[in-house]
Amino acid sequence: MSADSDRHATKMAKKKAARDKIMATKTDEKGLIIVHTGKGKGKSSAAFGMIFRCIAHDMKCAVVQFIKGGMSTGERDLILSRFTDICEFHTMGEGFTWETQDRDRDVEMAQAAWEKAKDLIRDPSNKMVLLDEINIALRYDYIDINDVVSFLVDEKPPMTHVVLTGRNAKDDLIEIADLVTEMELIKHPFRSGVKAQIGVEY
């Protein structure tokens, strides 16, 4: 072994010992409130990655989509065709508000989605509940942020994970969350005239 290899091995051994010491103190488990926000792509994609992990571990889970309408998406079609026994999937929105152009209907659908979400979260057999694009419904005041925050703080079962996605997450939601990730937009093909594509966006 060369001197460089020896130094590297010694350095990594020290790093591993320090890391192991830190990890030994991380013993708690709890149901997390997880927020994916920001202008960059990947908020829902990352959330569905966790849903598929739950499915792979045979953990009961559920999805409520607040904005996206009934369009076919890979994750929706896969869950509905193969995993309905372990993952409930509810598409409650009818599209983005600039498509529906009916605020009263949007509010009605968003509030119905929130009621469904609360039922699913209250069920302790659901280990994870994904509230896809709820941040958009909150941004447009289709749902009361105070109701969402108080429900998550007071009624969420202690071991249930809740994932909330969408741009412009409210500060009150970020405050109570355990894990917040902001997807930063650096480049996007849409700006170069490239449309949303199967397998990438849906």
Side-chain angles (χ1 to χ4, degrees):
M1 207 182 260
S2 69
D4 283 348
S5 295
D6 286 342
R7 280 194 296 273
H8 177 78
T10 301
K11 182 179 178 181
M12 291 302 109
K14 288 179 180 177
K15 189 169 279 193
K16 182 180 185 315
R19 180 74 178 164
D20 289 347
K21 186 175 180 180
I22 292 169
M23 293 303 292
T25 67
K26 312 299 181 190
T27 57
D28 292 345
E29 288 188 17
K30 64 174 286 192
L32 302 176
I33 298 170
I34 301 168
V35 176
H36 293 173
T37 193
K39 294 181 179 179
K41 174 182 158 35
K43 297 175 286 293
S44 294
S45 300
F48 275 106
M50 289 190 286
I51 286 290
F52 284 116
R53 282 180 179 162
C54 287
I55 290 171
H57 289 294
D58 205 29
M59 296 164 63
K60 195 163 176 285
C61 53
V63 177
V64 179
Q65 291 192 304
F66 278 76
I67 300 295
K68 292 164 183 168
M71 69 172 284
S72 173
T73 64
E75 57 270 18
R76 178 175 177 261
D77 293 350
L78 181 60
I79 290 170
L80 290 178
S81 67
R82 299 189 186 182
F83 301 115
T84 54
D85 59 327
I86 194 168
C87 183
E88 286 192 46
F89 201 112
H90 300 274
T91 301
M92 308 289 288
E94 295 183 329
F96 291 94
T97 194
W98 55 85
E99 293 170 342
T100 63
Q101 299 177 17
D102 184 342
R103 178 178 169 80
D104 291 342
R105 181 67 175 163
D106 289 342
V107 170
E108 179 185 344
M109 296 302 291
Q111 291 182 354
W114 175 232
E115 291 304 315
K116 172 58 71 176
K118 288 192 285 187
D119 288 343
L120 292 167
I121 294 167
R122 286 186 182 110
D123 180 354
S125 69
N126 285 319
K127 300 305 180 187
M128 178 179 287
V129 179
L130 166 56
L131 309 182
D132 191 34
E133 304 288 8
I134 190 175
N135 289 336
I136 294 178
L138 288 167
R139 178 188 181 190
Y140 288 114
D141 297 318
Y142 296 166
I143 310 166
D144 184 356
I145 182 62
N146 296 314
D147 183 28
V148 173
V149 167
S150 62
F151 176 83
L152 292 174
V153 169
D154 298 332
E155 294 193 51
K156 182 184 77 64
M159 294 308 294
T160 301
H161 305 299
V162 178
V163 187
L164 307 97
T165 71
R167 293 184 180 201
N168 303 111
K170 297 267 189 177
D171 289 341
D172 290 352
L173 181 60
I174 290 171
E175 180 67 27
I176 65 160
D178 300 287
L179 173 60
V180 180
T181 300
E182 182 175 9
M183 276 59 167
E184 181 183 358
L185 177 63
I186 296 175
K187 291 180 74 174
H188 198 292
F190 186 77
R191 291 179 171 177
S192 303
V194 180
K195 67 179 183 179
Q197 298 179 84
I198 291 175
V200 179
E201 276 85 15
Y202 61 95

